[in-house]
Amino acid sequence: MHEHTTPSPAPQIKSSGDAGKPLDDANTVRPDTGDSGQRPQRQGRKTTFVGLASAAMILAGAGAVVAGGSLLPPPESSREVAAAAAAVPAGASLGVCPGPARLLEGTEAGVDPQFSPVSATAASAVTGAVLGAAGILPASRLSQLDGTTAVEISEGPGQGTSAGAPQELLAGVVAARPVQQVSVLSADALANQKASAAAAMKFTATDGDLQGTAASNCHQPSNDQWIAGASTTVGRASVLLLTNASSTPATVSLELFGAQGQIQAPGSRGLLVAPGSSRAVVLAGLAPGEEQLSVRVRSAGGPVAAVIQQSVLRGLTPGGVDFIAPGAAPAVRQVMTGVDIQDPAGLSQLTGKPGYGDGGPALHLTVPGPSDAVVEVRIYGRDGQVALPSGGVITAKAGAVTEISLAGVPAGQYTVAASSDVSFVAATRVTRGLQDGQPTDVAWAASGVRLGSQHVVPVPQGGIRSLVFGALDTRATITYAAITSDGKVRAPATADIAGGTTSSIAVPEKEGDADVVGYVVSASGDAAYGAVLIQQDGRSDVSTLAFLAAAAGQETVPVTLSH
């Protein structure tokens, strides 16, 4: 980074005795001859000669400086200096889990709403795991937002095992811990390496307006995140939940994008979220009547965890509940897996009825920049790529949200991949239930990260659970090892996935004599993506959780010095 200064004007040199006198053809000052005759004239000529000679010397000197300028090194202040990398100690692993889904009572836009219990059968629980090795677990805990410890997972490194002991993985586990409010999973760094830890919160209800299943990963707070898939039309309640688990106040600003473009909403800027607190914002108060709505959440000061609680009520019939999670940042390729599609004939009949237009699967694309995006969409199933009935190339409008229906795609589990030469954000809607007048459910598959090494994947307990993997172009190899409630990481298994396909692996209730609460997943080969798909036997419940990024070790940041 260079400092730039405005050059000062060149100084003007004046002769003290010649100011205001006329110039002759030689551009010299004519001296005042007075009464002295020829001598002053000769002196004037001498002066002229000396002046011209001096000017010539000055010009020659200037030319030498100009000519030699390219040979001289630039001043120190203008030299390019490579930014040095400074090591930053690994920080704690932190995941913020939303509280139970609640039914809104009367609220005002931008003001924390009052909630009421949703039903007699509503239940919420957190499941998670923290990895360790060689008999050592990092200090870790599940806490309430005020810092009160709910579960002490590990007090920290103890004696460990001997230096020659095998580096076997072990886990600290939280298994279906009931929660009534926002909770935080935290794990300290160990040996300057960020802990591998993750958790998920699952909400279920079998009665009331919010019946269904809604699950959410416990997300790392961030200062910039995107959430796609909200709706604020009649019968759709979208509430943005902001949580500040840090000790620094956060000032949040929202950017809203709808089908017609960016929405300028009074009250969307300067939202204060105090340390150790949560704030709820009813999106209908900022952008009412939007069928497709994407939100960019940016915070100054403390980072925040953001999630949208969305519920649907079609008249008196519950239409589902979900926690819409942040997806990947704007990029030229977005991938969503864990997309479960029902029978297309039944979906066609359902979505053709009043109030059920959003009852089928769809892809939402948001282009935040000034240029339209020509997006190619590919959908991969168990046996390979499946053609989209509407075609695979779509133009998404700049600064707006574009919906692409997935109607007509055969029933099955899929990976949706979208690519363009313009950055965009994406999410895919998943629905369950084919009977009007009967409760249905909805889930949003957020765009995920490419799988790498040692992802901790929490699997909420109860219901039908599946690991869904998608490989894009060529073959990928997935290694997955179950984490059980007794703190063991079981022997790994391997799945070989052909390029351009999606594979599903059923999660057993138990491994040995202990409940399965998660997996350690690694991938090699071509780009692969993963998600947990959660359903309920005999019900229309559905939820999907994209795999979170693997833990990073010691980080380096570029540091540039300037003056």
Side-chain angles (χ1 to χ4, degrees):
M1 178 176 180
H2 305 295
E3 291 188 352
H4 299 281
T5 58
T6 304
S8 301
Q12 297 179 351
I13 302 175
K14 295 183 180 180
S15 172
S16 60
D18 298 336
K21 292 189 177 181
L23 299 177
D24 61 11
D25 292 340
N27 291 331
T28 57
V29 177
R30 293 202 305 266
D32 188 358
T33 58
D35 298 328
S36 58
Q38 296 298 321
R39 186 174 178 181
Q41 186 176 2
R42 286 195 299 269
Q43 288 177 342
R45 290 174 182 171
K46 183 177 180 180
T47 302
T48 301
F49 173 76
V50 173
L52 289 172
S54 300
M57 291 177 66
I58 293 172
L59 289 174
V65 172
V66 172
S70 60
L71 303 178
L72 298 176
E76 292 293 332
S77 61
S78 64
R79 288 181 181 176
E80 293 285 347
V81 179
V88 178
S93 175
L94 195 70
V96 178
C97 317
R102 304 285 186 181
L103 186 65
L104 287 174
E105 292 181 346
T107 62
E108 296 180 4
V111 179
D112 291 356
Q114 298 296 317
F115 293 115
S116 63
V118 60
S119 74
T121 61
S124 300
V126 170
T127 297
V130 179
L131 291 188
I136 300 176
L137 280 171
S140 50
R141 66 214 60 83
L142 182 71
S143 305
Q144 297 177 5
L145 192 54
D146 62 5
T148 303
T149 299
V151 178
E152 189 75 40
I153 301 172
S154 172
E155 294 183 355
Q159 294 293 327
T161 57
S162 62
Q167 299 295 303
E168 294 182 356
L169 291 177
L170 72 160
V173 171
V174 177
R177 171 76 180 194
V179 293
Q180 298 297 327
Q181 56 185 295
V182 173
S183 52
V184 180
L185 177 74
S186 58
D188 297 344
L190 186 61
N192 208 24
Q193 295 291 314
K194 194 169 185 178
S196 294
M201 193 280 289
K202 178 185 175 184
F203 164 88
T204 59
T206 58
D207 67 334
D209 290 345
L210 297 184
Q211 60 182 288
T213 294
S216 172
N217 285 314
C218 302
H219 287 276
Q220 175 81 26
S222 172
N223 290 102
D224 193 356
Q225 50 205 307
W226 288 81
I227 308 177
S231 176
T232 58
T233 55
V234 175
R236 281 72 179 161
S238 292
V239 182
L240 175 64
L241 306 173
L242 304 170
T243 300
N244 180 5
S246 75
S247 58
T248 303
T251 302
V252 177
S253 294
L254 309 178
E255 296 178 18
L256 307 170
F257 297 84
Q260 303 303 315
Q262 189 166 358
I263 301 165
Q264 303 300 326
S268 62
R269 307 278 176 162
L271 303 174
L272 180 64
V273 185
S277 71
S278 291
R279 177 168 185 169
V281 180
V282 182
L283 294 178
L286 301 176
E290 293 289 336
E291 293 184 0
Q292 301 103 34
L293 184 65
S294 292
V295 183
R296 183 183 188 184
V297 180
R298 292 196 291 178
S299 65
V304 298
V307 68
I308 293 176
Q309 178 197 308
Q310 180 165 282
S311 58
V312 179
L313 191 63
R314 298 182 174 95
L316 299 177
T317 303
V321 60
D322 191 36
F323 291 108
I324 308 177
V332 295
R333 182 167 77 172
Q334 302 285 4
V335 181
M336 297 131 282
T337 193
V339 176
D340 185 81
I341 295 180
Q342 301 178 93
D343 173 60
L347 280 171
S348 177
Q349 292 183 0
L350 179 70
T351 56
K353 296 179 179 179
Y356 286 87
D358 58 354
L363 171 63
H364 279 197
L365 304 173
T366 306
V367 182
S371 301
D372 292 351
V374 178
V375 183
E376 182 181 13
V377 179
R378 296 184 178 183
I379 181 166
Y380 303 106
R382 183 184 62 183
D383 300 320
Q385 185 174 347
V386 175
L388 283 171
S390 58
V393 179
I394 298 95
T395 299
K397 183 181 176 182
V401 182
T402 299
E403 180 175 290
I404 302 165
S405 174
L406 300 182
V409 174
Q413 294 174 358
Y414 293 95
T415 299
V416 178
S419 59
S420 175
D421 58 350
V422 174
S423 293
F424 62 98
V425 175
T428 301
R429 184 173 64 224
V430 179
T431 60
R432 296 297 296 175
L434 296 175
Q435 300 296 322
D436 64 318
Q438 296 296 319
T440 58
D441 203 5
V442 63
W444 282 90
S447 54
V449 298
R450 176 175 176 168
L451 298 185
S453 177
Q454 209 171 81
H455 297 257
V456 178
V457 179
V459 178
Q461 294 182 271
I464 302 171
R465 305 164 299 172
S466 304
L467 301 181
V468 183
F469 298 100
L472 298 189
D473 301 316
T474 58
R475 192 170 297 274
T477 300
I478 308 294
T479 301
Y480 56 101
I483 302 171
T484 49
S485 56
D486 56 3
K488 295 180 180 179
V489 179
R490 305 287 174 155
T494 299
D496 192 35
I497 303 176
T501 66
T502 297
S503 294
S504 177
I505 299 168
V507 176
E509 182 179 349
K510 293 180 179 292
E511 184 85 16
D513 57 355
D515 293 338
V516 174
V517 297
Y519 283 87
V520 181
V521 177
S522 298
S524 61
D526 190 45
Y529 297 79
V532 178
L533 180 64
I534 303 168
Q535 300 178 79
Q536 187 72 38
D537 191 19
R539 293 184 55 83
S540 297
D541 295 15
V542 65
S543 192
T544 181
L545 300 171
F547 288 6
L548 297 176
Q554 186 181 33
E555 296 180 323
T556 59
V557 296
V559 177
T560 304
L561 301 178
S562 63
H563 63 83

